[in-house]
Amino acid sequence: SVLEKSKQLAAWTAVDHHVKSEHRVIGIGSGSTVPYVVERIVQLGAEANQERVFIPTGFQSKQLIVSSGLNLGDVDEYPTIDVTLDGADEVDRELNCIKGGGACHLREKVLAEAANTFILVADYRKNVEYLGTNFTPGIPIEVVPFAYAKVLQNLHHILGSPKAELRMAVKKAGPVVTDNGNFVIDAPFDLEVMKKPYTIMAQIKMLTGVVEVGVFCNMAKAAYFGNEDGSVTIRW
Ligand code: DER
């Protein structure tokens, strides 16, 4: 499909530009675009990849690394990462992004921060002027289960997200549970609020019981978007 081709184009171009022969430790994100990143890395050849170790951002990412025959490492063994490549739910003009559509944003943010270079790969739907334009569920927030009702209350009545809700699972009764055993709240905010992503991110982060917020500010070095016409847009 055009959408899948655009994901593949973004991913392949990003790998070609940013996975250098001297890079040994590679962070691998989550979602449906990152498999194309791994596909391209596998094409670099078993010999080159034998020297590398790949750090996952969660269970899905780990499965992808292992099933692709790549060396699996973990972030406590490799606290500094050469380059992390990951998807995003939306990316604005300053490369701030919403992440967490896949409920993996805690480990994703750890690997984004641990990386010397953090690269975003996405299809054309994610390339927006302001966050919240296309990705309507709102800001994903990982919370400890014990505190979720309190955090919801604060979002509804203090931070201005009356529609914030606990993310319920589809093929499991009850709420989504993250790789860290926590819940996720999706909190939509007005466009005016989303024009200052750092401010709202910091306010949410301060709520007691919040583990991590799916807004990444000032972290990505570049973003690669595959377009519907087969071209690629690169922003940095
Ligand atoms: O949850 C995330 O942050 C993932 O990176 C995910 O949102 C990316 O989505 P994709 O399936 O469109 O790549």
Side-chain angles (χ1 to χ4, degrees):
S1 72
V2 168
L3 181 62
E4 290 307 308
K5 282 304 282 176
S6 78
K7 293 179 183 181
Q8 183 181 55
L9 179 65
W12 284 28
T13 312
V15 169
D16 294 352
H17 289 187
H18 290 280
V19 178
K20 310 279 188 212
S21 54
E22 67 272 17
H23 287 159
R24 290 281 174 278
V25 185
I26 316 277
I28 298 296
S30 311
S32 64
T33 307
V34 162
Y36 295 112
V37 165
V38 170
E39 178 183 73
R40 190 61 166 174
I41 289 174
V42 167
Q43 289 176 11
L44 296 176
E47 200 173 328
N49 288 323
Q50 193 46 45
E51 308 296 313
R52 294 189 170 111
V53 63
F54 295 84
I55 319 297
T57 50
F59 190 85
Q60 182 207 47
S61 172
K62 177 180 168 186
Q63 280 186 308
L64 176 61
I65 291 167
V66 171
S67 63
S68 303
L70 296 172
N71 299 324
L72 181 68
D74 42 36
V75 67
D76 33 359
E77 205 179 341
Y78 298 91
T80 299
I81 295 171
D82 291 312
V83 53
T84 291
L85 299 111
D86 198 352
D89 296 304
E90 263 186 342
V91 186
D92 74 11
R93 293 289 182 265
E94 282 107 51
L95 301 190
N96 302 307
C97 59
I98 290 182
K99 284 174 64 50
C104 299
H105 59 285
L106 170 61
R107 298 191 188 191
E108 289 173 339
K109 197 178 267 191
V110 170
L111 265 63
E113 202 170 83
N116 292 330
T117 302
F118 176 49
I119 300 294
L120 297 171
V121 291
D123 61 74
Y124 46 88
R125 299 170 302 171
K126 318 311 187 64
N127 185 0
V128 296
E129 188 169 7
Y130 297 113
L131 298 181
T133 309
N134 292 350
F135 187 73
T136 49
I139 297 176
I141 305 164
E142 182 155 342
V143 298
V144 294
F146 178 78
Y148 93 89
K150 194 75 197 101
V151 172
L152 263 182
Q153 200 178 53
N154 285 328
L155 288 164
H156 291 159
H157 303 301
I158 297 173
L159 289 193
S161 180
K163 293 200 176 67
E165 60 182 15
L166 182 63
R167 187 183 297 183
M168 302 311 284
V170 176
K171 294 186 177 172
K172 169 194 171 288
V176 165
V177 178
T178 70
D179 294 331
N180 316 300
N182 295 316
F183 289 166
V184 176
I185 288 172
D186 292 302
F189 291 88
D190 293 340
L191 178 60
E192 283 314 303
V193 171
M194 299 304 282
K195 286 180 178 177
K196 297 191 183 71
Y198 186 84
T199 303
I200 189 60
M201 177 195 72
Q203 289 175 332
I204 296 170
K205 187 75 185 267
M206 289 303 288
L207 297 176
T208 302
V210 168
V211 177
E212 195 47 74
V213 185
V215 174
F216 289 33
C217 293
N218 212 10
M219 298 186 85
K221 180 168 259 178
Y224 287 72
F225 303 97
N227 296 318
E228 288 172 283
D229 65 1
S231 67
V232 59
T233 298
I234 305 173
R235 234 189 264 298
W236 63 86

